[in-house]
Amino acid sequence: MNGGLLLGASVLGLLLGGIYGLMASGLALTFGVMRVINVGHSALVIAGAYMSYELFAHLHIDPFVSLVITMPVMFLIGMGLEMAFLQHLREDREQFSVLVTWAIALGVEGVLGYFCGTDLVQISTNYANSSFSIGGVQIVYIYLYGFLLGALLMGLLALLLRRTTFGWSLRATVLNRQAAQLIGIDVAKVSAIAFGIAAAMAAAGGALYGMLNTFNPGSWYDLIGDLLIIIVLGGFSSVRGAFIASLVVIMFQEILSVIISPTWADWSFFMLLAIVLIVRPSGFFGVKTREA
Amino acid sequence: MTRRLRIAGWLLVLVASLLFPLVFTNPATLSIALVTLMYVGLASSWNILGGFAGYISLGISAFFGFGGYAFAITLHAFNVQAGYTPFAWLPLIGVLTAVVAIPLGWAALRTRQAVFVTVTIALMLVIQLSAENLVSITGGATGYGFPIPNWSAAFYYKPFYYAMLTVVVVSIAVAYVVRRSGLGLGLLAIRDDEDKAEAIGVPTKSYKLAAFVISAGLAGMIGAIFAYSVLYIYPQNAVDPLISMGAALMAFLGGAGTLAGPVLGALILAPAQTELSYYVNGQLYLILYGALFLAIVRLLPRGIIPSIGDQLRSRSSRHVDLLEHDGHHVEGRVDADDVKVMEGVRE
Amino acid sequence: MMMSVNPMLLELDGVSKHYGGVAAVDLCSFSVAERSITGLIGPNGSGKTTVFNLISGFSKPDAGQIRFDGKVLNGMAPGSIYRKGVSRTFQMARIFPRLTALENLMVPVRRKGLQGLIWGYKGVGEVEAAREMLHKLSASHVADELVGRLSYGQRRLVELGTLMMSHPRMVLLDEPAAGVHHSVLETLSRYILDAQGDGVTFVIVEHNLNFVMDICHHVVVLDRGRTIAEGAPDDIVDDQVVVDAYLGD
Ligand SMILES: Nc1ncnc2c1ncn2[C@@H]1O[C@H](COP(=O)(O)OP(=O)(O)OP(=O)(O)O)[C@@H](O)[C@H]1O
Ligand SMILES: [Mg+2]
């Protein structure tokens, strides 16, 4: 086997993993804070991709620049969705949230299809294919920029969570929703903002996704399985876990695709999931004994 | 509701569905009726795990699709001629699907709640991926054909209709037997408080697995008939996430955990969604479907049948309230779960 | 000071449990005689519920040994401990709210193989036994009510009845009297005394000291996870250490 290929695959996997991490961390954040599994998260990613696409195609705004528009807009959309459809969920919140967010995803898919059509599109910037070579490894700039953007946004999120009062309320809510409420944290507000942040992260992820892939409104369905499995592997409510899991899973996938075959690589997510389920199901967010 | 009234209701529905193809002979109508029956069966079998045990699965179309493929491949392997004989193979397909569901269920049921739902979504995706990638067995993206029966267009749907009706009756009967068995009681206890159930000796693991496997086997047979009726199976029609969602939604609309709820929900929603898909384009359909879904979860979170049941119960049992002297003297700590119980009661 | 007529059914030997830096139970030792009613008292947070969690397998001790009928329970799952004959209630009654009282009582009935899978759970014997249990608990009138609708005290009765359906040898009751109307309380003490007469051993955690002094043969006092006193109820009330523990809290 070719060592250079392997190295190339690892680097590619790392960069791509950073981009997936951007998408998956939003999912982990909403689960942690709200106990809501947002299966519609990838639909928000695709919505973000379409926004960047439309701004690029019609107004020629570079997708990295248009993030200053798409991220705030998606932030507001996310908050709106949370307040309209998720806030009122009480009984069996986790399970119902899956149904509700799936319905939201279908709605988003329908709206995108209605306005943007269902043809496959891609955000093709003029630097889309330029690359450079380092140590014999060919690196496409977009992947590198994507990774850097992912790392930057994750860093900002970490600062927000660790250094601000809002971050403190948010982490308290993750630890225990009920207790947070009792110590005077406005859990409803925290949830709405967290959902907004996740949606904004999805918008950024979407811009990158749209540059790297062709997509149409139905593409959310291709993406959601990967994202869900990533956060299961990452421990479900941990943002950091989700980011690390993305790096690991995507690298595993890329390496598998050069050492065995790309077809096998499609299975890598499911193989990892099966291993975790069999070996360490309790490594997940555990709904264990409620002690009296 | 009295017992007799309930039996009469079920018989009425059964007779009506037996006579339906004799009265409405239009093939287009019959094809809608076939899809409706399919959803009645799927929602009822979904209910055995999702309703009784409270383990919401979005993976039922995995077994629906598996059954379809297994049927096509079996018929081909044994060179079964088109016509009625294939239907005789259905029980085998059911058993086969159930057997395959054992290890999958074992792994998936090591998780709970949200993680379980997520894992069932992955299960659906993995079956679809297998259908696409195991080209030598499944025919890959192009799919797999069934032997074509030489029935006239006017007659075509009738055999499928009655075959589906048979499986649906079996599904409801199985759900009924489970509901009134020790297994059913154990599943309901798991739904309410799994740790407590386990702590008082309910074999929760085997009960959950039994429910998972039974519901998979039934879905497999239903998928087999559906696939045969459309004569061609490929990854997208075999493993359709909208089918998983549909079955769950219908059960919720009627009332998950009740026997009649999923049937009622499917009878209302399945024809409506098929009609809708004729009149509006795909995009609008998705939007309306999503909106309907949100409306149901929002307005009727417990479903139609339980809501009616509550109405009846609160009328007939008002005297009990008078006996509850100590209800107002609760002091000390009230924890969140208690509050939840209370809220559930108030609704 | 221990009752010596009967053999010890339950023995705790230097049992400890830490949560982070907190020693919820700290080298705790005491024994419970067979067919006795033992009170386990102590100020809030003294580790009583944790002791129950450890005995019933809901959490695992960090150190020490728990023996039931001479056999070590450490590390066993709650279900297995239950099958050995040790049952418990929870401080906040845990019942199956969407089942009726009668159905609640039938959940723990042991069913084997096919019988569990297909046979109706409303087999005549089971229903009769459950009805009789409800009758003993003066709760017959709520048999067909969903338990989630019952008052708190009635739920406690249902919880206890459910446990008793599988004939446990020892029952751990966590604050059975808290928030319960005194009429229900009378039913409860009568029931406990009857069952004890039939050979069941009880350990009761309770803040209502009158209730404890009325029905217990033996009292163990915990403070900060340690056994600070034990003995007959009358001796305990006069014990200065106990008074200090309660007042000093
Ligand atoms: N799961 C847990 N995690 C962390 N700390 C715990 C846990 N369970 C109990 N503790 C701590 O252990 C100590 C003992 O608690 P425990 O509930 O056993 O007391 P208790 O005697 O039952 O009190 P009460 O009379 O208020 O019910 C307390 O300080 C409590 O905060
Ligand atoms: Mg306690």
Side-chain angles (χ1 to χ4, degrees):
Chain A
M1 196 209 322
N2 184 330
L5 265 180
L6 199 61
L7 182 63
S10 313
V11 173
L12 178 63
L14 181 72
L15 297 180
L16 200 56
I19 296 170
Y20 268 75
L22 191 55
M23 303 190 247
S25 55
L27 200 53
L29 184 70
T30 42
F31 182 76
V33 176
M34 296 150 60
R35 303 281 127 177
V36 153
I37 303 213
N38 181 12
V39 290
H41 191 70
S42 65
L44 299 178
V45 170
I46 302 300
Y50 265 106
M51 276 184 212
S52 303
Y53 173 78
E54 296 296 339
L55 289 170
F56 177 74
H58 297 117
L59 304 173
H60 310 290
I61 306 179
D62 183 275
F64 283 103
V65 176
S66 66
L67 288 179
V68 297
I69 305 169
T70 61
M71 287 183 67
V73 170
M74 283 299 285
F75 175 82
L76 293 177
I77 291 179
M79 273 186 70
L81 288 174
E82 204 277 341
M83 292 192 284
F85 300 118
L86 293 166
Q87 206 132 83
H88 67 93
L89 288 179
R90 300 241 183 282
E91 243 183 306
D92 291 336
R93 184 182 177 86
E94 286 181 21
Q95 307 196 12
F96 266 106
S97 72
V98 180
L99 301 176
V100 169
T101 54
W102 191 292
I104 292 176
L106 290 181
V108 170
E109 180 185 351
V111 170
L112 291 175
Y114 197 80
F115 289 107
C116 310
T118 54
D119 297 336
L120 285 169
V121 296
Q122 185 166 15
I123 307 171
S124 326
T125 52
N126 53 13
Y127 53 86
N129 295 315
S130 24
S131 60
F132 65 98
S133 171
I134 182 167
V137 177
Q138 201 72 15
I139 293 175
V140 179
Y141 277 110
I142 292 189
Y143 282 80
L144 182 64
Y145 295 159
F147 179 83
L148 291 176
L149 178 66
L152 174 71
L153 290 175
M154 291 302 295
L156 287 177
L157 182 62
L159 276 183
L160 181 72
L161 292 182
R162 302 272 152 208
R163 292 272 184 276
T164 65
T165 325
F166 170 74
W168 171 81
S169 337
L170 193 143
R171 281 184 292 133
T173 313
V174 173
L175 283 179
N176 190 335
R177 246 181 114 77
Q178 240 96 38
Q181 210 139 28
L182 290 179
I183 57 172
I185 292 173
D186 186 346
V187 169
K189 198 169 106 193
V190 169
S191 299
I193 295 177
F195 205 87
I197 293 175
M201 306 275 282
L208 298 168
Y209 186 85
M211 285 189 266
L212 301 175
N213 303 280
T214 58
F215 59 96
N216 71 6
S219 299
W220 71 274
Y221 178 61
D222 299 335
L223 195 55
I224 191 60
D226 296 356
L227 296 185
L228 284 175
I229 292 173
I230 286 174
I231 70 157
V232 170
L233 301 178
F236 239 87
S237 52
S238 153
V239 173
R240 197 191 315 157
F243 194 74
I244 294 169
S246 319
L247 297 180
V248 172
V249 177
I250 305 282
M251 276 173 77
F252 181 68
Q253 186 182 29
E254 291 300 326
I255 291 171
L256 215 58
S257 84
V258 298
I259 63 174
I260 307 181
S261 82
T263 322
W264 270 95
D266 288 346
W267 294 85
S268 53
F269 280 75
F270 301 112
M271 292 189 309
L272 286 174
L273 178 65
I275 292 169
V276 171
L277 281 184
I278 291 164
V279 179
R280 242 192 66 198
S282 54
F284 298 22
F285 147 74
V287 201
K288 282 321 272 184
T289 332
R290 297 179 297 165
E291 290 184 7
Chain B
M1 236 194 302
T2 67
R3 193 181 155 75
R4 229 181 258 167
L5 210 66
R6 233 179 296 166
I7 295 175
W10 284 107
L11 281 180
L12 196 72
V13 174
L14 179 64
V15 170
S17 35
L18 280 169
L19 295 180
F20 189 87
L22 308 179
V23 181
F24 300 91
T25 49
N26 179 355
T29 313
L30 277 185
S31 92
I32 296 182
L34 180 65
V35 171
T36 305
L37 272 185
M38 172 186 106
Y39 273 114
V40 171
L42 283 177
S44 294
S45 42
W46 178 91
N47 191 42
I48 294 173
L49 183 69
F52 295 163
Y55 272 72
I56 295 182
S57 159
L58 291 181
I60 198 142
S61 55
F63 299 108
F64 177 88
F66 179 86
Y69 272 106
F71 199 35
I73 294 165
T74 311
L75 295 185
H76 188 76
F78 292 90
N79 204 12
V80 181
Q81 297 305 307
Y84 300 107
T85 26
F87 294 126
W89 290 76
L90 282 174
L92 179 81
I93 302 302
V95 171
L96 197 65
T97 314
V99 168
V100 168
I102 292 173
L104 295 176
W106 176 81
L109 288 166
R110 288 164 70 87
T111 63
R112 287 187 186 186
Q113 298 205 0
V115 187
F116 177 77
V117 188
T118 310
V119 170
T120 61
I121 294 176
L123 189 65
M124 181 166 75
L125 298 174
V126 88
I127 298 282
Q128 194 174 51
L129 186 66
S130 314
E132 275 164 14
N133 283 1
L134 304 177
V135 181
S136 57
I137 305 174
T138 63
T142 36
Y144 213 100
F146 278 84
I148 302 174
N150 58 350
W151 296 324
S152 70
F155 180 73
Y156 185 82
Y157 282 110
K158 285 185 187 168
F160 294 112
Y161 179 93
Y162 285 110
M164 192 67 95
L165 183 59
T166 312
V167 176
V168 166
V169 170
V170 169
S171 305
I172 296 173
V174 167
Y176 171 74
V177 170
V178 168
R179 173 65 183 82
R180 57 186 289 286
S181 70
L183 170 62
L185 186 61
L187 294 173
L188 294 174
I190 289 171
R191 174 194 67 184
D192 276 5
D193 187 341
E194 183 167 347
D195 291 320
K196 166 90 185 188
E198 182 164 0
I200 60 174
V202 175
T204 52
K205 285 205 181 70
S206 20
Y207 276 19
K208 286 186 294 180
L209 188 59
F212 189 94
V213 168
I214 292 171
S215 119
L218 293 169
M221 289 196 278
I222 294 167
I225 299 176
F226 172 77
Y228 185 23
S229 80
V230 298
L231 292 177
Y232 213 81
I233 188 162
Y234 52 95
Q236 277 70 34
N237 79 348
V239 188
D240 183 349
L242 281 182
I243 288 182
S244 285
M245 280 319 267
L249 181 58
M250 289 165 197
F252 273 114
L253 174 64
T258 63
L259 213 55
V263 178
L264 184 68
L267 286 178
I268 295 172
L269 220 50
Q273 88 184 31
T274 318
E275 282 294 321
L276 187 66
S277 71
Y278 287 144
Y279 292 116
V280 300
N281 76 17
Q283 307 314 319
L284 217 50
Y285 176 75
L286 286 177
I287 298 173
L288 290 173
Y289 196 81
L292 177 70
F293 207 127
L294 290 171
I296 289 173
V297 174
R298 178 88 194 229
L299 302 175
L300 273 176
R302 310 203 309 110
I304 297 172
I305 301 260
S307 306
I308 295 174
D310 282 358
Q311 289 290 318
L312 293 177
R313 204 187 298 265
S314 70
R315 228 166 271 161
S316 74
S317 64
R318 197 152 292 156
H319 66 281
V320 173
D321 298 341
L322 302 177
L323 297 171
E324 296 183 15
H325 332 274
D326 54 344
H328 310 287
H329 292 263
V330 177
E331 53 189 46
R333 289 164 292 182
V334 175
D335 75 358
D337 293 301
D338 252 71
V339 174
K340 203 167 87 182
V341 169
M342 292 171 197
E343 280 175 352
V345 171
R346 210 170 37 224
E347 278 178 9
Chain C
M1 292 267 296
M2 286 179 197
M3 303 206 339
S4 49
V5 238
N6 291 317
M8 289 302 160
L9 185 61
L10 176 76
E11 292 158 294
L12 270 74
D13 214 346
V15 173
S16 298
K17 177 72 185 179
H18 295 258
Y19 288 110
V22 185
V25 174
D26 192 13
L27 293 173
C28 174
S29 304
F30 65 89
S31 324
V32 172
E34 178 140 33
R35 311 190 69 162
S36 72
I37 301 178
T38 300
L40 184 60
I41 63 171
N44 287 122
S46 55
K48 306 177 295 290
T49 298
T50 308
V51 166
F52 275 13
N53 286 341
L54 296 172
I55 301 172
S56 56
F58 279 77
S59 44
K60 309 273 170 256
D62 300 332
Q65 201 175 54
I66 301 170
R67 286 186 301 274
F68 177 71
D69 202 14
K71 293 183 197 68
V72 179
L73 295 186
N74 293 37
M76 283 170 65
S80 322
I81 294 178
Y82 175 84
R83 278 187 279 272
K84 288 220 169 307
V86 182
S87 285
R88 69 170 293 186
T89 65
F90 290 84
Q91 194 161 345
M92 311 311 300
R94 265 170 86 171
I95 35 81
F96 304 110
R98 286 176 284 181
L99 299 183
T100 66
L102 201 62
E103 286 172 328
N104 262 272
L105 261 61
M106 286 187 285
V107 169
V109 174
R110 296 284 292 282
R111 302 176 187 83
K112 290 189 203 79
L114 270 189
Q115 194 190 350
L117 285 186
I118 357 186
W119 279 12
Y121 60 82
K122 292 189 176 159
V124 184
E126 276 180 44
V127 176
E128 285 313 306
R131 284 200 187 282
E132 196 179 325
M133 181 66 70
L134 284 177
H135 180 73
K136 277 192 218 161
L137 291 165
S138 310
S140 296
H141 58 288
V142 298
D144 297 316
E145 284 289 307
L146 294 186
V147 175
R149 297 162 174 272
L150 298 183
S151 70
Y152 194 64
Q154 286 166 331
R155 282 195 241 164
R156 299 222 93 124
L157 293 179
V158 171
E159 188 188 28
L160 178 60
T162 304
L163 297 182
M164 298 308 293
M165 284 295 286
S166 48
H167 310 292
R169 291 181 65 190
M170 183 173 78
V171 178
L172 314 173
L173 300 176
D174 199 348
E175 301 197 21
V180 169
H181 190 262
H182 59 79
S183 66
V184 175
L185 215 53
E186 275 164 32
T187 311
L188 193 67
S189 14
R190 189 160 25 82
Y191 181 84
I192 292 173
L193 291 169
D194 281 355
Q196 185 256 336
D198 294 341
V200 183
T201 307
F202 285 88
V203 182
I204 302 176
V205 163
E206 188 47 68
H207 285 295
N208 180 339
L209 289 186
N210 291 332
F211 182 79
V212 174
M213 299 307 160
D214 277 355
I215 69 170
C216 292
H217 307 135
H218 186 75
V219 175
V220 175
V221 187
L222 284 189
D223 186 30
R224 283 169 228 166
R226 286 170 178 271
T227 319
I228 55 163
E230 60 179 309
D234 294 336
D235 303 337
I236 289 295
V237 274
D238 300 329
D239 192 319
Q240 192 54 42
V241 186
V242 176
V243 175
D244 287 348
Y246 268 90
L247 294 182
D249 196 54

